[in-house]
Amino acid sequence: MNRTEYELYFKTIGSKGFRVVYWDKETSDYGVGDCKFTINFKKNPSDLFIKEQNLRKIIEENFEEILDIEGNPEEICSVFGFSKEIDNFKAIKKQILLCIAEFLMNVRKERQKKEVQSHYDLGNDFFSLWLDDTMTYSCAYFKDPNMSLRDAQIEKINHTLKKLNLKKDERLLDIGSGWGLLIVKAAQDYGVKSMGITLSEEQFKATKDLIKRLGLEDRVQVRLMNYLDLDENQLQFDKIVSVGMFEHVGKENLEKYFDKVNKLLVNKGLSLLHTINLPEVSEEDSFSAWLKKYIFPGGYIPELKELISILPKYDFHLMHLESLRMNYALTLDKWYENFSSHTKEIEEKFGRQFARRWGFYLKGCANAFRTSGLDVHQLLFSKGLNNDMPLTFEYIYK
């Protein structure tokens, strides 16, 4: 992590002058007037913040290794707005690190929101040109290669919901709920109470309209927020699903996703993660780098083994794993065909370069799924041991 976010934080602190010596020995002065105190970083806190879920615990255990301070405690408390009752450097160091950690987390959440919106908030009119009328923007499920895209997308939703073994009045959370079809069908077909979470304002508005149009306000809701901000003390779910969202969380947040699912899921509850993955992550993959630059800023496609290795840390037990690789290739073929039939319209609205990039993205991804080892899997896992599931998975494929 570079110093930019830390500098942004310190520029917002107080008006009195103070100095910060960073871990790379670079020095910056902040505030106005003579420096009243100096903050010395012995190491980059982000090296710890990124890896740890419990920030308070990691700060308690490592603050002396991260930070040192020289100056008057009263001046420091005055600049940072701390209580005057804090009169020792030990407590001040901890408090400063907690403030920095909270600021960095908020900055990253805001950045993730902007990255997601830069893709999904191109407009419902744009996506409706080449998605089917269900507005489902993830891998479809083709029981027959000649199925229409719409039928295959509905089949994917049905296939996903079947795996969760839903029961009437259970609580279902969809992290990254898109345009809302899954949470709506879950309520209609299984009688569950479902909630969708999205960072896209366009998807949020469309889902709200869909719920109202179908008269499902008493059983279905959608929230415009980061899933990490859900309060597990107020909300618990029997089943949690995420389809096509995990690619956006970023490498540093993989474990944070599973940690949050763990906190929100009841004991013996089920979760299904539907995500693209690679057999091996390569920094030299030019196509992935191109996608990250032009189509999915901030995205990261994990290795399958990365995901599976995280599960035991949260007492998650993998119950079913299914590859939908060729299904995604067929889905992208259909999208590209639809996209190509509206190229002129897209060029008029977004420009020729945009249309060419998106066409290359759709065609290139279809080819990658067929030839490169790029894959998409559905991972079904339970929190703790669940002995109440059917003995076989025949129920999914009936």
Side-chain angles (χ1 to χ4, degrees), residues 8-9 16 43 49 51 118 140 146 165 202 204 223 244 296 325 339 345 384 398:
L8 179 62
Y9 171 72
K16 294 181 181 180
K43 62 171 66 173
F49 293 170
K51 298 173 184 176
S118 72
N146 296 315
N165 199 33
E202 291 285 316
F204 173 73
R223 296 187 182 184
F296 293 109
R325 180 178 64 85
F339 187 91
E345 190 175 344
K398 285 183 178 179

Side-chain angles (χ1 to χ4, degrees), residues 20 31 56 69 82 88 94 117 173 213 221 233 253-254 261 263-264 280 285 313 346-347 353 355 359 366 372 395 397:
V20 176
R56 184 170 292 278
I69 307 177
F82 297 157
N88 63 82
K94 290 180 184 178
Q117 289 179 341
L173 173 66
R213 189 163 67 248
Q221 61 173 298
N233 295 313
N253 294 316
L254 297 184
V261 169
K263 291 174 179 175
L264 293 167
E280 186 176 8
D285 184 350
K313 297 180 181 181
I346 294 168
E347 286 182 353
Q353 186 180 56
S372 72
Y395 73 93
Y397 301 98

Side-chain angles (χ1 to χ4, degrees), residues 371-384:
T371 64
S372 72
L374 185 67
D375 211 326
V376 58
H377 283 91
Q378 289 194 338
L379 296 84
L380 179 70
F381 53 91
S382 65
K383 178 178 176 178

Side-chain angles (χ1 to χ4, degrees), residues 119-318:
H119 185 94
Y120 293 95
D121 282 352
L122 289 168
N124 292 339
D125 290 343
F126 167 66
F127 286 102
S128 66
L129 290 175
W130 51 277
L131 298 179
D132 65 283
D133 62 7
T134 69
M135 292 293 283
T136 305
Y137 187 26
S138 56
C139 172
Y141 187 70
F142 291 86
K143 283 190 170 181
D144 181 327
N146 296 315
M147 289 177 71
S148 70
L149 177 60
R150 183 184 191 280
D151 288 346
Q153 288 291 13
I154 292 175
E155 197 60 51
K156 187 273 300 296
I157 299 296
N158 292 334
H159 187 61
T160 301
L161 294 176
K162 281 181 181 179
K163 287 186 179 182
L164 289 166
N165 199 33
L166 294 168
K167 307 298 182 186
K168 183 176 171 58
D169 291 330
E170 284 189 329
R171 297 153 296 176
L172 170 68
L173 173 66
D174 184 359
I175 300 176
S177 53
W179 281 272
L181 180 61
L182 187 146
I183 54 175
V184 163
K185 281 190 67 62
Q188 289 177 323
D189 297 350
Y190 294 90
V192 304
K193 297 177 181 178
S194 55
M195 176 189 292
I197 300 296
T198 180
L199 289 173
S200 166
E201 292 185 2
E202 291 285 316
Q203 291 178 342
F204 173 73
K205 292 175 184 175
T207 304
K208 288 273 286 186
D209 291 342
L210 177 63
I211 294 169
K212 184 176 181 181
R213 189 163 67 248
L214 296 174
L216 293 171
E217 294 98 324
D218 61 329
R219 301 200 72 81
V220 185
Q221 61 173 298
V222 61
R223 296 187 182 184
L224 181 65
M225 64 184 299
N226 193 306
Y227 74 98
L228 292 172
D229 293 329
L230 286 168
D231 185 354
E232 59 269 14
N233 295 313
Q234 301 292 326
L235 294 167
Q236 287 286 287
F237 298 92
D238 303 287
K239 310 288 169 64
I240 297 178
V241 63
S242 182
V243 179
M245 168 271 180
F246 193 73
E247 300 88 342
H248 296 287
V249 304
K251 182 176 177 60
E252 71 274 15
N253 294 316
L254 297 184
E255 291 199 19
K256 291 177 184 175
Y257 172 88
F258 287 102
D259 180 65
K260 193 64 178 182
V261 169
N262 180 51
K263 291 174 179 175
L264 293 167
L265 194 62
V266 301
N267 188 42
K268 297 201 294 186
L270 299 181
S271 182
L272 185 144
L273 177 62
H274 172 126
T275 183
I276 300 171
N277 47 73
L278 289 165
E280 186 176 8
V281 174
S282 172
E283 297 296 334
E284 299 177 359
D285 184 350
S286 58
F287 182 60
S288 294
W290 183 89
L291 285 176
K292 188 172 183 178
K293 181 176 181 180
Y294 293 111
I295 307 297
F296 293 109
Y300 172 74
I301 300 176
E303 297 177 10
L304 180 60
K305 64 184 179 183
E306 277 185 280
L307 306 184
I308 293 176
S309 69
I310 293 172
L311 296 180
K313 297 180 181 181
Y314 301 96
D315 196 23
F316 288 148
H317 297 260
L318 185 62

Side-chain angles (χ1 to χ4, degrees), residues 35-49:
C35 291
K36 303 296 183 182
F37 58 89
T38 299
I39 297 173
N40 293 287
F41 284 101
K42 301 177 183 179
K43 62 171 66 173
N44 185 347
S46 292
D47 293 341
L48 295 170
F49 293 170

